[in-house]
Amino acid sequence: GQQVMQIPQYQHVQEGEDFTTYCNSSTTLSNIQWYKQRPGGHPVFLIQLVKSGEVKKQKRLTFQFGEAKKNSSLHITATQTTDVGTYFCADVYGGATNKLIFGTGTLLAVQP
Amino acid sequence: NAGVTQTPKFQVLKTGQSMTLQCAQDMNHEYMSWYRQDPGMGLRLIHYSVGAGITDQGEVPNGYNVSRSTTEDFPLRLLSAAPSQTSVYFCASRRQSFSNQPQHFGDGTRLSIL
């Protein structure tokens, strides 16, 4: 079945450093959604990418969809302690029912 | 503004017991789903529903039943709890099934099976 892998599984950075997580699939992704989950919390929607090569920005966060729609990335510039959490990509998969299949997630730790 | 409400927040069961995890949403969303979250494995889809009276299996449906008698409620039943079902369970909903709308998640139920 559809599998979406994320790397790295875990990243520890100093506050102010940049951070990138990558979302990869062996098959073509439909649309990509990104979610953030704070420790002990629930996933919260960040953004959706639809078009090949699409780039979207939210303040210090930059989201990119690969040209072949087989990968996506999230880049955070100058991390802050508020960025701590697990970042998930999710493929909107499943034809008419649009099931959301999540990647394995990247846990970001930020040291002040 | 309740959104998606899950009860209970925590539960401990013995192997073989059954129980129902409750999920309710007040946003009139058609689409509802259940996920389980285990360390290093992300969120895996258990069951989903595109509307009242319609349910279908996700990635890991074995050992779980669902029903959708109303738009608002989507309970998840564990038939005979096993230690492998120890996990955090999230219910989610979104506006339409045939859409790319974002999913709204509940706060989760932390379930331990002894």
Side-chain angles (χ1 to χ4, degrees):
Chain A
Q2 179 77 350
Q3 282 193 326
V4 181
M5 303 301 294
Q6 279 184 255
I7 53 171
Q9 272 195 314
Y10 172 78
Q11 183 83 54
H12 177 243
V13 300
Q14 295 284 331
E15 189 172 22
E17 292 181 336
D18 292 356
F19 160 76
T20 304
T21 174
Y22 300 91
C23 179
N24 299 306
S25 173
S26 57
T27 58
T28 302
L29 298 164
S30 304
N31 303 322
I32 279 287
Q33 294 183 352
W34 283 91
Y35 290 77
K36 176 183 178 182
Q37 182 179 24
R38 295 183 185 275
H42 60 268
V44 175
F45 175 80
L46 294 176
I47 210 161
Q48 175 167 274
L49 304 174
V50 176
K51 300 176 184 176
S52 166
E54 188 171 13
V55 178
K56 287 188 177 180
K57 293 190 176 183
Q58 286 181 351
K59 297 182 180 179
R60 295 178 295 103
L61 277 61
T62 302
F63 303 84
Q64 189 162 2
F65 207 176
E67 292 291 342
K69 297 187 79 173
K70 287 191 173 183
N71 56 74
S72 179
S73 64
L74 159 59
H75 180 82
I76 302 178
T77 303
T79 54
Q80 300 175 358
T81 54
T82 53
D83 295 326
V84 165
T86 301
Y87 292 86
F88 291 99
C89 64
D91 182 26
V92 183
Y93 170 82
T97 56
N98 279 348
K99 293 183 290 188
L100 202 61
I101 303 298
F102 279 80
T104 47
T106 295
L107 174 60
L108 172 64
V110 180
Q111 185 165 356
Chain B
N1 211 10
V4 180
T5 302
Q6 290 184 237
T7 56
K9 294 193 185 304
F10 303 92
Q11 184 71 50
V12 178
L13 292 177
K14 294 181 179 179
T15 298
Q17 286 185 316
S18 63
M19 82 158 293
T20 299
L21 308 186
Q22 301 292 342
C23 176
Q25 52 91 9
D26 62 359
M27 298 172 282
N28 202 30
H29 286 175
E30 295 178 354
Y31 189 100
M32 297 186 73
S33 54
W34 276 101
Y35 290 85
R36 61 176 288 174
Q37 184 173 30
D38 303 292
M41 301 189 74
L43 293 108
R44 292 182 292 170
L45 182 64
I46 305 172
H47 286 286
Y48 65 97
S49 169
V50 299
I54 306 169
T55 64
D56 207 344
Q57 297 180 349
E59 303 169 272
V60 288
N62 292 339
Y64 307 96
N65 273 358
V66 291
S67 60
R68 184 94 180 270
S69 56
T70 66
T71 299
E72 294 77 21
D73 300 300
F74 191 44
L76 177 72
R77 279 183 291 277
L78 279 70
L79 308 174
S80 178
S84 61
Q85 293 178 305
T86 293
S87 187
V88 181
Y89 291 85
F90 287 101
C91 178
S93 72
R94 70 169 188 244
R95 280 184 60 193
Q96 295 167 341
S97 58
F98 291 80
S99 75
N100 299 322
Q101 294 293 313
Q103 293 208 121
H104 301 263
F105 285 82
D107 289 337
T109 295
R110 283 145 183 85
L111 182 62
S112 293
I113 315 295
L114 305 178

